[in-house]
């Protein structure tokens, strides 16, 4: 009966895909993102940097000797991985979660992160998940922190523990409106330790979770704060990765 009732409801009130606004086919177990949109999600193309996961630039047959995306990151920022490129429909899904109140999207986003292959040492060592915090003002406006929702879903899927070990100390300009060169300065000093799980993070390899990775400025600043609080190192995972067009056209 529940299956029959569900099928009848689908005929009357077909669920709408948050990636394309089209109807989700009857019988599709996903009630948020349709099969077509799921098939359109684009992984980062190879060859990829072993550290940050970004596509390596090519010059003719040669691949760049050093990755320009993570070259300036501190050694304590171990690796970065992202499930998908910030291309349609991934960009729309991020927008729907972050600005349109579709909190339920954090569930499938966390599941996609849980399926993301991680280096063996990260998989084995990084058992504590730390969400990238938002400001008190944005938390009050939205009612939630999208990175925390994704982090909680990911932690449930992987059996990890989540610790809100960071707080955003300043209401800096949103990173999305800034040029890459300005992003580092915008988040400098923007984070502080909350004291939550202070003993647990000492000497640990932590897993930082956010919705999007762009230049890595936020991840770098969070890493510095966590290491100063006693962590050994940090790796970062995000649902999507925004990249310079050169890294996509040259692969």
């Amino acid at each position: 009966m529940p299956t029959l009732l569900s099928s009848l409801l689908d005929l009357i009130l077909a669920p709408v895909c948050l990636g394309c606004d089209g109807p989700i086919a009857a019988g599709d177990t996903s009630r948020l993102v349709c099969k077509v949109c799921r098939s359109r999600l684009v992984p980062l193309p190879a060859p990829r940097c072993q550290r940050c996961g970004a596509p390596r630039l090519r010059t003719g047959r040669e691949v760049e000797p050093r990755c320009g995306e993570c070259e300036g990151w501190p050694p304590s920022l171990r690796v970065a991985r992202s499930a998908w490129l910030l291309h349609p429909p991934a960009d729309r899904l991020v927008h729907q979660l972050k600005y349109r109140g579709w909190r339920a999207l954090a569930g499938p986003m966390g599941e996609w992160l849980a399926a993301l292959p991680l280096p063996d040492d990260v998989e084995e060592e990084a058992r504590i998940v730390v969400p990238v915090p938002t400001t008190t003002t944005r938390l009050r406006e939205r009612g939630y922190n999208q990175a925390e929702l994704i982090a909680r879903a990911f932690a449930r899927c992987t059996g990890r523990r989540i610790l809100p070990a960071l707080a955003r100390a300043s209401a800096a300009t949103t990173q999305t409106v800034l040029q890459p060169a300005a992003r580092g300065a915008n988040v400098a000093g923007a984070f502080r330790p909350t004291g939550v799980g202070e003993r647990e993070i000492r000497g640990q390899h932590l897993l930082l979770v956010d919705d999007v990775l762009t230049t890595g400025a936020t991840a770098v600043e969070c890493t510095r704060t966590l290491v100063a609080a006693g962590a050994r190192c940090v790796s970062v995972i995000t649902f999507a990765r925004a990249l310079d067009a050169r890294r996509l056209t040259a692969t």
Side-chain angles (χ1 to χ4, degrees), residues 49-118:
C49 172
Q50 292 186 351
R51 186 186 185 197
C52 76
R56 302 292 291 268
L57 286 175
R58 288 179 180 272
T59 304
R61 293 185 177 181
E62 299 295 323
V63 177
E64 62 179 340
R66 293 181 297 180
C67 176
E69 294 290 315
C70 60
E71 191 173 21
W73 292 3
S76 52
L77 180 45
R78 169 74 179 83
V79 299
R81 295 290 185 270
S82 300
W84 310 109
L85 281 174
L86 191 65
H87 278 195
D91 54 354
R92 178 125 193 256
L93 297 180
V94 168
H95 185 87
Q96 297 277 38
L97 171 61
K98 194 169 184 175
Y99 301 111
R100 299 297 299 277
W102 283 99
R103 303 186 191 197
L105 270 173
M109 286 182 175
E111 293 173 5
W112 276 311
L113 286 189
L116 193 61
L118 298 175

Side-chain angles (χ1 to χ4, degrees), residues 173-198:
T173 302
T174 177
Q175 293 287 80
T176 57
V177 302
L178 296 176
Q179 294 298 316
R183 288 173 180 255
N186 187 52
V187 294
F191 301 98
R192 60 175 175 79
T194 61
V196 175
E198 184 176 5

Side-chain angles (χ1 to χ4, degrees), residues 122-143:
V122 180
E123 190 65 59
E124 294 168 7
E125 297 174 1
R127 307 307 301 173
I128 296 176
V129 178
V130 178
V132 171
T134 190
T135 65
T136 302
T137 300
R138 291 178 191 134
L139 187 60
R140 186 164 53 245
E141 290 171 350
R142 295 176 191 160

